[in-house]
Amino acid sequence: MKVGLIGFGKAGSAVAHVLNEDPRYSLEWIATRSGSPSSVELGGASIPVTALDRETLADWLDLHPVDALVDFSNAGAAAVYSTEVMRRGLTLVTAISSYDEEQLAEIRAMGEHAKVLCSPNITVGINFLIMAARLLREIAPFADVEILEQHFREKPEVSGTAKKIAEHLDVGGEKITSMRLGGIVGHHEVIFGFPYQTVRLIHDSIRREAFGTGAAFALNELRHCANGFYTFDDLLMKRVRAQLMQP
């Protein structure tokens, strides 16, 4: 599968390395805001870099066709590529956490013409944690719930993933405790307090390459899906249902 990557910051760079090393995918190009440098070296290969521009994107895709786009840039990028995603039926995996309602509606609309996955945190582990936490919350709605999130010192805002966990568990933001320590990439912990036991569900992102393995998983799962808008939950539940069907 030929892939174009949008965004080459800390997360995008890590994702690029993972996709470039995965034999299932061919990283064809990287799009950034500035389009510079003109190329980057990954695993001995020179990957071309272009500026993400609505006026030139169609011509770029004609010259450098891909099957899928992976977006680790910013919420505004979708407006640049949405027309081409729908016109060409490109698979889209976006890991942007800051879409507003209008932008999210645009992402959903792309699913009418393409396979689209939108997941603010695209690591397999954190999405499995959320699924397990939702199940335990349903089994034991009487249990106390607290959410702990830890990140690197420079991260100012409350983790979007922690907010998503709270939303899924139907608890308020006051149940989230945030800590900023050194260079922690990401730690999320959901604590269930029972009368005579405690359950802790923990996920640690050790390196940002975890985002790349999540994107690679999503691309592979979307191969077997029809056009539509998907969340990471949808892909995981498909796997869970298949596992439960086995004798």
Side-chain angles (χ1 to χ4, degrees), residues 203-226:
H203 177 264
D204 285 297
S205 289
I206 300 169
R207 292 173 59 96
R208 290 182 176 86
E209 279 78 1
F211 302 135
T213 56
F217 170 83
L219 287 170
N220 188 61
E221 293 300 303
L222 287 171
R223 290 177 190 261
H224 313 294
C225 296

Side-chain angles (χ1 to χ4, degrees), residues 120-121 126 130 158-166 188:
N121 190 317
I126 197 65
I130 292 171
V158 176
S159 160
T161 299
K163 291 179 180 179
K164 180 181 178 183
I165 294 171
H188 292 88

Side-chain angles (χ1 to χ4, degrees), residues 25-53:
Y25 308 112
S26 173
L27 182 58
E28 296 293 304
W29 47 262
I30 297 167
T32 66
R33 185 176 301 175
S34 66
S36 62
S38 60
S39 64
V40 295
E41 297 296 320
L42 292 175
S46 181
I47 309 298
V49 176
T50 186
L52 185 65
D53 186 286

Side-chain angles (χ1 to χ4, degrees), residues 127-205:
N127 284 282
F128 186 82
L129 178 148
I130 292 171
M131 186 172 65
R134 289 171 61 187
L135 178 59
L136 187 53
R137 181 67 165 162
E138 184 174 335
I139 293 171
F142 55 85
D144 298 326
V145 178
E146 294 288 338
I147 300 165
L148 172 64
E149 61 100 349
Q150 301 173 353
H151 285 83
F152 52 93
R153 187 185 301 116
E154 293 79 12
K155 183 179 177 68
E157 73 279 5
V158 176
S159 160
T161 299
K163 291 179 180 179
K164 180 181 178 183
I165 294 171
E167 179 182 340
H168 278 301
L169 300 183
D170 196 25
V171 298
E174 73 279 0
K175 293 294 184 179
I176 301 174
T177 299
S178 300
M179 300 178 69
R180 297 294 174 261
L181 301 164
I184 296 174
V185 175
H187 171 97
H188 292 88
E189 183 172 347
V190 184
I191 307 167
F192 289 87
F194 293 81
Y196 306 108
Q197 59 185 319
T198 302
V199 176
R200 296 175 183 266
L201 303 176
I202 299 173
H203 177 264
D204 285 297
S205 289

Side-chain angles (χ1 to χ4, degrees), residues 3 7 22 31 34 56 59 62 66 71 77 101-102 111 116 123 133 154 157-158 169-170 173 187 189 195 212 245 247:
V3 179
D22 193 319
S34 66
T56 60
D59 290 339
D62 287 340
V66 293
D71 188 359
E101 289 301 319
E102 183 177 346
V116 175
T123 60
E154 293 79 12
E157 73 279 5
V158 176
L169 300 183
D170 196 25
H187 171 97
E189 183 172 347
M245 291 293 290

